[in-house]
Amino acid sequence: MSNVFRGAWGAVLVAGLMAGMSAAAQGANYTLTVEPNYPADQIREVYGPLVGYLNRTTGHRFTVRSAANFNEHWRDLRSGAKHQFVFEEGHFFDYRRKRSGAIGVARTQENSAFVIAVADPEIAAEGLEGIVGRTVASLGAPNLAYVLVFDAFRNPLAQPEVRSVSSKWSDGPDLVFSGDVEGTLLPAYMASENPALTEIWRSREVPGRVFSASPELPQDVRQKVADALLKLHEDPEAYAVMTELRTERLVAVDQIAYDGLERLLVNSFGYVAPAEPAAPAAAPAAAEAPVEASAPAN
């Protein structure tokens, strides 16, 4: 083989190796699905800092996506549509892990809770009963706030009239002040941000929002993303991410803490309760040893 040929062939091998190393260094493409808590044109803006952080710290490339509304998010979940990474409230996560085996990799440190707030002092003076039959703005069903309301107000004759008219939580106060509704559902962390509103109902707390991963993803990829999320609060540029996520830090997920939250979806169209694990089969009774007949005495 001539030196020229060997040199050309060596160059091809080196180029191929360099290309392979470059591809490996660039990582893979992954999608992060988030709840439709914002209009479509704001999703990328809100989650942009998080995507940038994950791209920078994991070596992979992330794209954020969201369903058009909560009904579509719920329909995809029921259908078993495959998702790589998801960020959502606990009732959806519990449903997803029981049907699809989703693995929790991190959660918001803060629990989730919601309030109903009003601006009219006369309604506020009535207390909890003042909201019965009143119109209340909400994001679409079955978001967590919506299902928590109907978990608390189980009597159909003593419920607020929850209307899915908000495209983001901050729309609620505007709808109250414009007179379109009499009250609004808000995440508890937003209650103090609107001093002109009076809180008249607060939901029970449930474990916070969860980042989960498909069990079909490589374990090392899941671990790398988990490590990045759990160290997010240590990053010098974390403030912008934390501000958008509305959390002080992300912590490990105790999946048992979420067990049963999917039952908040019981009144949602298409909900089917998870199959109960089969009881272990009873062990067959041990056969008694035959008793030998004794010979008659003489």
Side-chain angles (χ1 to χ4, degrees), residues 225-272:
V225 171
D227 291 344
L229 292 173
L230 296 177
K231 294 177 181 177
L232 173 58
H233 62 285
E234 301 173 1
D235 190 84
E237 301 176 21
Y239 179 77
V241 184
M242 296 301 192
T243 299
E244 295 295 356
L245 295 184
R246 293 296 193 126
T247 184
E248 290 294 324
R249 65 181 296 176
L250 299 169
V251 297
V253 179
D254 175 8
Q255 298 199 151
I256 300 302
Y258 291 83
D259 190 34
L261 285 187
E262 51 87 21
R263 294 188 184 277
L264 289 170
L265 293 160
V266 65
N267 295 318
S268 302
F269 176 80
Y271 172 81
V272 177

Side-chain angles (χ1 to χ4, degrees), residues 34-222:
V34 300
E35 286 187 349
N37 286 327
Y38 299 92
D41 59 350
Q42 290 187 22
I43 290 292
R44 290 183 180 178
E45 176 185 346
V46 170
Y47 290 98
L50 173 63
V51 167
Y53 170 78
L54 290 174
N55 290 347
R56 174 165 52 86
T57 57
T58 67
H60 299 297
R61 296 177 298 278
F62 288 82
T63 301
V64 68
R65 71 166 298 277
S66 176
N69 51 56
F70 276 94
N71 181 56
E72 183 178 306
H73 185 90
W74 170 229
R75 186 174 67 245
D76 284 353
L77 184 51
R78 296 198 322 270
S79 70
K82 294 184 181 298
H83 296 283
Q84 294 171 321
F85 291 96
V86 183
F87 182 47
E88 61 192 347
E89 291 282 8
H91 63 320
F92 289 139
F93 165 65
D94 190 35
Y95 189 98
R96 190 180 302 277
R97 76 182 182 92
K98 289 177 177 174
R99 275 46 170 218
S100 305
I103 300 169
V105 296
R107 56 158 284 193
T108 56
Q109 175 178 260
E110 300 79 9
N111 289 338
S112 294
F114 297 85
V115 304
I116 293 178
V118 299
D120 188 330
E122 293 185 5
I123 298 177
E126 295 180 43
L128 189 60
E129 294 185 359
I131 202 58
V132 172
R134 305 283 188 177
T135 55
V136 176
S138 172
L139 294 183
N143 75 78
L144 182 58
Y146 189 100
V147 298
L148 283 172
V149 167
F150 291 104
D151 183 59
F153 294 84
R154 299 192 179 189
N155 182 353
L157 301 179
Q159 294 174 337
E161 183 187 336
V162 181
R163 296 182 177 178
S164 301
V165 292
S166 300
S167 60
K168 56 185 182 298
W169 288 121
S170 57
D171 287 345
D174 294 338
L175 291 168
V176 172
F177 298 137
S178 66
D180 293 313
V181 293
E182 295 162 291
T184 181
L185 269 166
L186 292 172
Y189 60 74
M190 291 183 65
S192 62
E193 297 175 3
N194 294 276
L197 295 176
T198 301
E199 175 187 328
I200 60 174
W201 173 81
R202 179 174 289 245
S203 75
R204 64 184 175 98
E205 288 192 357
V206 299
R209 293 163 289 159
V210 181
F211 284 93
S212 66
S214 166
E216 298 178 4
L217 290 173
Q219 194 278 335
D220 65 308
V221 172
R222 297 198 307 265

